[in-house]
Amino acid sequence: LLWHPTLSLYSRTVMGDTAAGLALRAAVLVLLSSRRPGAGAGLAIGAAAVMRYQAGMILPFFALAILADPDVARRRREALMCLLTGSGAGALIVGYNFFMYGNATGIVKGEFGLRYLPGNLIFYAAVLLAIWPLMLIAPAIDRSRLRFATAALCAPTLAFFCFYYFHDQGPGLVKTLVVGPRLLQIALPTWIVAYCVVMDRHVVRRLSNLIPKRAIRGLVAAVLVLLAAFNGLMFARHQRHLDNLIDLRDEIAGTVPPGSLLLSNAVAWKLLGVLYPAVPVYRLMQPGDAGFAAACARLAKTSWED
């Protein structure tokens, strides 16, 4: 879990994906450790939805996982409690967005369509097969009690983003493999734990009967060294990227007077649209904002001297 390059890289950022994945793992923990997990699991899923709205779609599937788990006492009641507590958190999110922005999703936008399915399905399947070998099929093989929660988290998340218009891309295959699964982070922690359960049961135990323990320890040590080296290189390159962004931000802040109207792309908007002592307050517009096209047209009619 800690060495997965996507989770490792984005642990260096302040984003909601990792926190949402943690909250969903907490819901799984409640299910596995309590005979009455309904309210606790629903609250955990609600907390995940606060971090990333798409985590809220897990709620009905998790209620079904509770219904399917024979170790849960009064399964129907607990599934209903999960739905009620999670829906309460969802209602608060929707109410807040209507109050602040006048719609249910606030500033969150996106596009879905069948035309995105083939490419996304191939991409995500390749990523989930390649980074941790064959991890894609782990939820289907797992026969532990974890399988109900794994199915509730992983299947809807993968299906949801297969129809989504976007996934991160980097300059090159390796970087795309690392950043491309970012949107799956809400399910990756549970997916990886299920993978570990399957690997332990079907691979590690069998190898331990065939290979001397010293050889296994040496193999594990070698793999850890390689993972540490890869992560160190990845972190170093990411830090250089961040340093370049800071230099760009400081250059803009030192050149453009406070209060100016900036017609910017998404990168500059992220650098300058966050309150920070070193950044003046600007009026920011980016493509898609109301008035952006008109402002560009006015700018085109204005000479650079003016």
Side-chain angles (χ1 to χ4, degrees):
L1 179 68
L2 298 177
W3 289 111
H4 190 282
T6 306
L7 297 178
S8 182
L9 176 65
Y10 285 101
S11 72
R12 307 188 79 233
T13 69
V14 182
M15 300 179 70
D17 304 85
T18 303
L22 174 63
L24 291 179
R25 280 296 300 152
V28 176
L29 176 62
V30 172
L31 174 61
L32 297 181
S33 61
S34 172
R35 287 180 57 79
R36 294 187 176 182
L43 289 174
I45 295 171
V50 171
M51 307 298 176
R52 276 289 182 260
Y53 290 170
Q54 59 264 28
M57 69 180 171
I58 302 298
L59 184 64
F61 300 98
F62 207 86
L64 290 176
I66 293 175
L67 276 176
D69 193 328
D71 291 332
V72 174
R74 302 180 66 181
R75 285 180 283 177
R76 291 185 179 181
R77 177 184 180 278
E78 293 305 309
L80 179 60
M81 287 298 296
C82 178
L83 288 173
L84 290 176
T85 53
S87 298
L92 290 174
I93 294 171
V94 171
Y96 171 84
N97 282 330
F98 269 111
F99 178 79
M100 293 294 296
Y101 307 108
N103 60 74
T105 59
I107 62 174
V108 177
K109 307 297 179 186
E111 182 182 347
F112 295 85
L114 282 172
R115 64 184 182 275
Y116 303 119
L117 175 62
N120 283 339
L121 183 59
I122 292 172
F123 172 76
Y124 284 129
V127 167
L128 293 168
L129 287 169
I131 294 182
W132 289 162
L134 302 180
M135 190 177 79
L136 173 67
I137 62 176
I141 299 174
D142 185 16
R143 291 295 176 265
S144 71
R145 189 185 169 196
L146 183 65
R147 68 187 185 276
F148 303 113
T150 302
L153 267 67
C154 299
T157 301
L158 179 60
F160 182 83
F161 285 113
C162 278
F163 294 97
Y164 194 55
Y165 79 104
F166 166 82
H167 66 73
D168 281 288
Q169 292 182 317
L173 176 61
V174 174
K175 291 184 179 179
T176 298
L177 286 176
V178 172
V179 303
R182 176 178 69 84
L183 299 176
L184 299 182
Q185 283 186 93
I186 63 171
L188 278 180
T190 299
W191 209 320
I192 294 170
V193 171
Y195 176 67
C196 292
V197 170
V198 171
M199 289 293 292
D200 180 62
R201 182 165 297 178
H202 296 283
V203 179
V204 175
R205 294 183 186 181
R206 294 180 183 179
L207 287 178
S208 64
N209 295 326
L210 301 174
I211 302 175
K213 289 186 177 180
R214 286 186 178 181
I216 293 178
R217 293 192 186 103
L219 177 62
V220 170
V223 170
L224 289 176
V225 169
L226 289 174
L227 289 172
F230 177 82
N231 274 265
L233 177 63
M234 181 174 65
F235 284 5
R237 292 188 175 183
H238 184 235
Q239 190 58 48
R240 286 200 298 270
H241 171 68
L242 296 181
D243 291 339
N244 289 335
L245 290 178
I246 291 173
D247 292 340
L248 174 62
R249 182 199 67 188
D250 292 344
E251 184 176 353
I252 296 174
T255 305
V256 181
S260 299
L261 172 63
L262 296 185
L263 307 178
S264 67
N265 60 18
V267 175
W269 191 90
K270 290 179 181 179
L271 292 176
L272 301 167
V274 178
L275 291 176
Y276 189 74
V279 179
V281 176
Y282 297 115
R283 293 176 294 141
L284 298 170
M285 296 182 68
Q286 60 177 331
D289 290 344
F292 182 85
C296 290
R298 290 196 303 271
L299 180 63
K301 295 178 181 178
T302 304
S303 68
W304 288 110
E305 291 79 6
D306 296 335

